[in-house]
């Protein structure tokens, strides 16, 4: 098979959701259909559960799971699916945002009883930043959920995306009877506790067909007719190009747990989801069809064995063909590296890869060469753009509790932040270190791992900070003057960019008004926009 065919058969995507909406359950059903697992319950939840074991044990357990499930590769309908896993806890959301830079599309799961939740909004914001195509699966239709029309309105309003239902539910909760497939005009009937049976699918092209009432009863049949009429009146037919540009999201209804409506999503997904597409670099676009190999690291996983410092860097291939044992160019370090044991994740097993193609994700054993965002090429000198850092929510000063081991602390915090566990900001003079996290749990992870993997002891001291703002301005003098005047609130990010630590929302607003020539960014993504 040539490069063109290899690219055309790949779909690289993630399933995302607010915790508990059903991401793990849907993932498992996809893997069952794809033959990658044989029994339900085989996919371990990567949620941090509170309970019998301590949080730290849970974190380690979760890290163990997430190495093996980072990429799940399986075949479905002649398509090679690369499903990238995302963490199940909101405190590790940043990891999810980075993973979203490595996919070509996403499936977003919504809990029908809850609608759009906080984390769903953040995730969609990240999808919108790079126009990632989204398919929505509204889950848990077997429970008394919200009215489907109001759910669709809420999706459009809160997620700023147009929607187009491709299936329509018949009743909800106790009266849930199934879905009508608006794409293929099939009626799919549901029986609680049973998986969807092929025999329960009826092809009904015209809803005036009297069989509809025989199957559903007069009342529900009438209701379905009027609802479908309304749907077709309100929503335009699906525009494939608009979906692929991230402007319209096709919506499906079902119940992942009962395996209902899942095959419909999967079948549509393989038909409409985009194959690996072009990627932006600081030297223009890279096309997957380009003959020269290139890729970028979007995730780094530390080895679970604290005695070994080696790590696994996850590389998304963007163009050309990757080959084992060939020297490649590490752009940031200007170094030639080759990999003897690159791994892929076909059928949930780690296997050695001899070659890999655009859209694939491979694991590279790393002894400390990689940082998140690094580019690997055959020989060119470009860098991929768009691995965003967002302003953390919580900030603490890192305090060394064991002066005899400050070197270990220094190394540990650097490596952990390179891995993306948290963001590190430094302030000069004095080399004060400020750690920024999304959730409390991340501070626990850092403290625990610094102690167990680096033998360093630290504590975190609260500081007055509300948001980290990356600064840019066309007026370099004004920018430097601001940095001088606000020096006690200026820190540097990992790449040396100036960042203003806004002490409160009020102060941020005030500084924005007082300094109109300076832009205060809540993500470092502006670098992409400036390209
Ligand atoms: P997440 O990965 O998005 O966090 O969600 P997960 O799949 O773990 O699902 C969260 C809970 O919702 C699970 O129950 C799961 O069984 C349930 N669930 C998923 N899909 C459906 C559905 O279609 N209908 C109903 N009624 N429930 C669904 P749990 O009790 O928290 O966990 P477990 O003990 O079942 O593993």
């Amino acid at each position: 098979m040539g490069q063109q065919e290899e690219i055309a058969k790949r779909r690289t995507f993630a399933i995302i959701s607010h915790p508990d909406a059903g991401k793990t359950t849907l993932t498992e059903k996809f893997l069952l259909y794809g033959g990658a697992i044989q029994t339900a319950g085989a996919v371990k939840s990567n949620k941090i559960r509170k309970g019998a074991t301590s949080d730290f044990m849970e974190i380690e357990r979760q890290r163990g799971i997430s190495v093996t499930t980072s990429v799940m590769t399986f075949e479905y309908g002649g398509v090679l699916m690369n499903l990238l896993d995302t963490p199940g806890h909101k405190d590790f959301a940043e990891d999810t945002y980075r993973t979203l830079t490595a996919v070509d599309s996403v499936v977003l799961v919504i809990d029908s009883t809850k609608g759009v939740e906080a984390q769903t909004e953040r995730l969609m914001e990240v999808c919108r930043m790079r126009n990632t195509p989204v398919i929505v699966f509204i889950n848990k239709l077997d429970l008394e959920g919200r009215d489907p029309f109001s759910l669709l309105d809420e999706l459009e309003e809160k997620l700023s995306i147009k929607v187009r239902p491709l299936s329509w539910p018949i009743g909800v909760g106790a009266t849930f009877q199934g879905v009508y497939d608006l794409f293929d005009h099939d009626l799919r009937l549901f029986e609680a506790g049973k998986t969807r049976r092929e025999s329960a699918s009826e092809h009904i092209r015209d809803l005036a067909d009297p069989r509809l009432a025989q199957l559903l009863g007069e009342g529900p049949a009438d209701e379905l007719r009027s609802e479908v009429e309304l749907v077709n009146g309100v929503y335009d037919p699906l525009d494939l190009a608009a979906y692929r540009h991230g402007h319209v999201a096709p919506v499906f209804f079902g119940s992942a747990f009962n395996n209902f409506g899942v095959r419909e999503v999967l079948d549509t997904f393989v038909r409409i989801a985009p194959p690996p597409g072009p990627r932006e670099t600081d030297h223009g676009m890279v096309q997957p069809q380009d003959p020269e190999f290139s890729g970028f690291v979007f995730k780094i996983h530390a080895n679970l064995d604290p005695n070994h410092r080696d790590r696994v860097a996850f590389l998304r291939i963007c163009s050309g063909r990757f080959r084992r044992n060939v020297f490649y160019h590490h752009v940031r370090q200007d170094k030639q590296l080759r990999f003897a044991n690159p791994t892929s994740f076909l059928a949930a097993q780690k296997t050695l890869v001899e070659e890999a193609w655009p859209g694939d994700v491979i694991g590279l054993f790393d002894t400390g060469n990689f940082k998140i965002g690094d580019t690997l090429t055959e020989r060119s000198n470009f860098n991929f753009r768009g691995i965003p850092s967002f302003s953390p929510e919580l900030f603490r000063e890192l305090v060394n509790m064991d002066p005899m081991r400050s070197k270990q602390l220094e190394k540990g915090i650097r490596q952990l932040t390179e891995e993306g566990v948290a963001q590190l900001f430094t302030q000069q003079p004095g080399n004060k270190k400020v750690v920024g996290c999304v959730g409390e749990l991340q501070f626990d992870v850092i403290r625990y791992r610094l102690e167990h993997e680096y033998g360093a002891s630290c504590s975190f001291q609260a500081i007055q900070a509300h948001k980290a703002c990356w600064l840019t301005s066309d007026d370099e003098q004004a920018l430097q003057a601001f940095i001088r005047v606000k020096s006690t609130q200026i820190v540097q990010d990992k790449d040396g960019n100036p960042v203003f630590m806004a002490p409160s929302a009020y102060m941020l607003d005030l500084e924005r008004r007082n300094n109109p020539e300076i832009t205060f960014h809540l993500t470092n993504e502006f670098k992409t926009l400036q390209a």
Side-chain angles (χ1 to χ4, degrees):
M1 224 188 305
Q3 184 168 338
Q4 193 61 44
E5 289 80 34
E6 294 285 359
I7 296 165
K9 76 178 264 207
R10 280 165 167 76
R11 300 290 180 277
T12 303
F13 70 110
I15 301 181
I16 54 175
S17 77
H18 187 89
D20 268 345
K23 175 180 75 79
T24 310
T25 313
L26 189 67
T27 301
E28 179 168 284
K29 303 299 172 185
F30 274 21
L31 295 179
L32 279 168
Y33 279 124
I37 55 169
Q38 308 309 325
T39 50
V43 176
K44 299 278 177 295
S45 167
N46 61 8
K47 265 181 277 189
I48 308 275
R49 290 176 197 275
K50 296 224 185 245
T53 49
S54 80
D55 276 353
F56 304 119
M57 292 299 289
E58 276 301 297
I59 289 160
E60 289 300 285
R61 186 188 67 88
Q62 194 261 339
R63 285 213 297 143
I65 291 166
S66 62
V67 174
T68 49
T69 63
S70 283
V71 191
M72 292 162 276
T73 300
F74 60 96
E75 280 208 41
Y76 184 80
V79 168
L80 191 76
M81 313 275 258
N82 290 316
L83 171 51
L84 307 197
D85 194 28
T86 55
H89 195 288
K90 67 171 175 32
D91 285 10
F92 301 100
E94 183 107 23
D95 200 8
T96 302
Y97 305 152
R98 279 191 294 263
T99 298
L100 290 181
T101 63
V103 302
D104 299 300
S105 70
V106 303
V107 174
L108 171 67
V109 185
I110 304 271
D111 182 335
S112 70
T113 65
K114 305 230 174 86
V116 173
E117 297 175 83
Q119 191 57 19
T120 328
E121 289 187 56
R122 283 301 297 273
L123 290 165
M124 256 319 278
E125 258 174 52
V126 180
C127 291
R128 268 203 312 275
M129 283 169 108
R130 43 183 57 70
N131 298 325
T132 309
V134 177
I135 290 181
V136 177
F137 181 69
I138 300 188
N139 191 26
K140 306 196 186 180
L141 262 284
D142 56 315
L143 301 178
E144 293 302 327
R146 306 240 314 264
D147 166 61
F149 282 109
S150 95
L151 280 169
L152 293 174
D153 287 348
E154 187 177 281
L155 284 173
E156 290 205 328
E157 196 183 305
K158 289 199 177 162
L159 303 182
S160 310
I161 188 165
K162 287 179 74 141
V163 297
R164 195 348 160 166
L166 292 187
S167 73
W168 194 255
I170 306 161
V172 285
T175 63
F176 180 52
Q177 293 203 52
V179 291
Y180 185 66
D181 184 332
L182 297 165
F183 211 55
D184 293 330
H185 303 279
D186 280 337
L187 187 71
R188 309 272 160 80
L189 296 179
F190 167 73
E191 256 182 83
K194 290 199 181 149
T195 58
R196 181 168 75 76
R197 298 161 304 152
E198 295 303 322
S199 58
S201 178
E202 291 278 341
H203 189 61
I204 298 189
R205 183 141 200 99
D206 182 0
L207 286 178
D209 192 326
R211 278 185 305 149
L212 192 68
Q214 287 162 18
L215 288 161
L216 301 180
E218 283 294 347
D222 279 343
E223 205 172 316
L224 178 65
R225 283 187 198 105
S226 64
E227 286 181 351
V228 168
E229 199 182 317
L230 194 57
V231 168
N232 289 330
V234 171
Y235 300 99
D236 295 332
L238 179 69
D239 175 348
L240 205 57
Y243 155 67
R244 288 195 168 182
H245 286 107
H247 301 319
V248 176
V251 179
F252 290 83
F253 294 86
S255 165
F257 183 76
N258 292 291
N259 206 4
F260 200 82
V262 174
R263 191 182 273 273
E264 287 71 16
V265 183
L266 201 50
D267 285 342
T268 308
F269 180 87
V270 295
R271 272 194 275 173
I272 69 173
R279 299 263 149 180
E280 201 185 336
T281 77
D282 54 1
H283 284 68
M285 299 299 269
V286 162
Q287 302 293 333
Q289 293 80 8
D290 290 351
E292 186 187 342
F293 154 77
S294 69
F296 67 91
V297 173
F298 65 95
K299 172 171 173 157
I300 293 178
H301 223 294
N303 202 304
L304 284 170
D305 180 353
N307 297 319
H308 295 98
R309 274 286 181 270
D310 53 340
R311 313 186 281 184
V312 181
F314 290 86
L315 183 93
R316 147 93 197 206
I317 295 164
C318 299
S319 67
R321 175 167 63 130
F322 172 91
R323 278 168 301 156
R324 187 167 85 91
N325 267 332
V326 167
F327 275 102
Y328 290 120
H329 180 52
H330 185 301
V331 179
R332 182 177 53 84
Q333 293 194 333
D334 192 17
K335 232 182 185 178
Q336 295 295 105
L337 297 175
R338 72 172 164 177
F339 305 93
N341 300 307
T343 50
S344 76
F345 305 85
L346 195 67
Q349 271 169 4
K350 276 205 229 168
T351 43
L352 205 65
V353 285
E354 291 298 334
E355 60 173 25
W357 299 95
D360 285 344
V361 170
I362 53 173
L364 302 176
F365 288 98
D366 171 41
T367 47
N369 284 309
F370 287 117
K371 268 194 202 180
I372 283 174
D374 279 352
T375 298
L376 210 57
T377 67
E378 222 154 292
R379 66 191 88 81
S380 295
N381 255 327
F382 60 75
N383 279 293
F384 284 99
R385 288 190 175 279
I387 296 263
S389 295
F390 294 89
S391 171
E393 306 287 329
L394 306 167
F395 300 89
R396 307 268 157 83
E397 187 184 341
L398 180 75
V399 181
N400 186 3
M401 301 301 281
D402 183 353
M404 301 299 287
R405 299 192 62 84
S406 42
K407 262 201 182 145
Q408 283 82 353
L409 183 73
E410 190 86 23
K411 183 174 174 192
I413 193 69
R414 185 173 45 77
Q415 291 198 343
L416 291 186
T417 47
E418 275 171 17
E419 223 184 88
V421 175
Q423 289 183 54
L424 182 66
F425 302 95
T426 45
Q427 190 173 47
Q428 303 301 349
N431 204 22
K432 176 170 143 181
K433 290 187 168 51
V434 175
V435 175
C437 290
V438 175
E440 233 13 275
L441 211 48
Q442 280 173 283
F443 290 111
D444 294 346
V445 172
I446 295 169
R447 203 181 298 114
Y448 177 82
R449 290 190 55 192
L450 281 174
E451 193 181 324
H452 285 81
E453 294 172 31
Y454 299 88
S457 158
C458 74
S459 72
F460 289 103
Q461 198 172 317
I463 58 166
Q464 175 73 23
H466 161 69
K467 283 271 153 60
C469 307
W470 283 264
L471 304 170
T472 57
S473 176
D474 290 336
D475 184 343
E476 187 57 27
Q477 270 189 341
L479 181 62
Q480 290 309 325
F482 180 80
I483 290 174
R484 243 187 345 267
V485 174
K486 298 285 168 194
S487 66
T488 55
Q489 287 156 18
I490 299 287
V491 292
Q492 292 187 322
D493 75 358
K494 61 179 176 8
D495 302 316
N497 296 307
V499 174
F500 172 60
M501 287 284 171
S504 65
Y506 172 78
M507 288 303 288
L508 175 56
D509 195 42
L510 192 71
E511 298 300 355
R512 276 187 164 140
R513 272 184 285 132
N514 288 346
N515 301 280
E517 65 289 356
I518 296 176
T519 317
F520 297 74
H521 307 266
L522 292 177
T523 147
N524 70 350
E525 185 88 330
F526 61 87
K527 285 190 261 170
T528 308
L529 305 176
Q530 282 177 339

